[in-house]
Amino acid sequence: MSSIGRRVTAIATAATALSAGLLALPSTASAAAPVGSCGSGYGKVGSYPVTRSWEGTAGYIDVYYSGSTGKNCAITRPISSLAGKAGHIWVCLERSPYGGRTCDGSSANYRYYAGPVYVSARGSCINVSGGLNRKPGDNQPFNGGAQKVHCG
């Protein structure tokens, strides 16, 4: 299934869960926010700003971990004022030192978020990176990430 198909399926599943009262979103969450996109059992372990030096923060790379699977998960999302307006959102996650790299968004034009991407990293550190453009066609991306983080 294509990533667009996965996103449509995920949105439909979330909408069904919301209407059934099975999933509660915080009152400040956007309907398009990737709440719970990594799946059950994942807890947030970090968030890294996606910035451009002269304009500040345009989004965040959120990192999650599941102790039961030993996998990390990452999602890049724009700040709420850019949700649906941003262009070319991407995220990459890899085991450090350099192995098992997985990315999403490099050949897409996501507007709400990129990911989730997963990497098995029990007992290892991870490298996480991502970015976005303020609008489609913008050729000066906002970037962020961290190297050798969330070790263990």
Side-chain angles (χ1 to χ4, degrees):
M1 179 181 290
S2 74
S3 64
I4 292 172
R6 287 192 314 266
R7 289 191 199 293
V8 169
T9 300
I11 290 168
T13 301
T16 301
L18 278 169
S19 66
L22 301 174
L23 178 65
L25 291 176
S27 60
T28 59
S30 162
V35 176
S37 292
C38 290
S40 64
Y42 282 84
K44 191 173 187 178
V45 294
S47 188
Y48 301 93
V50 175
T51 63
R52 193 158 64 187
S53 63
W54 64 93
E55 288 191 71
T57 301
Y60 293 91
I61 306 164
D62 296 327
V63 179
Y64 301 83
Y65 181 74
S66 169
S68 64
T69 65
K71 290 184 178 183
N72 287 91
C73 170
I75 296 166
T76 298
R77 61 180 171 82
I79 58 175
S80 60
S81 63
L82 294 178
K85 300 173 188 171
H88 193 130
I89 304 172
W90 69 95
V91 63
C92 293
L93 186 60
E94 68 183 327
R95 198 172 41 257
S96 181
Y98 309 106
R101 182 179 172 110
T102 182
C103 299
D104 184 37
S106 60
S107 61
N109 192 22
Y110 299 141
R111 298 200 178 212
Y112 292 95
Y113 68 95
V117 293
Y118 300 87
V119 67
S120 293
R122 189 184 307 273
S124 300
C125 300
I126 60 168
N127 300 329
V128 59
S129 59
L132 60 89
N133 294 340
R134 179 180 295 278
K135 60 186 177 193
D138 186 358
N139 63 356
Q140 297 178 331
F142 290 75
N143 293 293
Q147 303 290 307
K148 296 183 181 177
V149 294
H150 308 295
C151 305

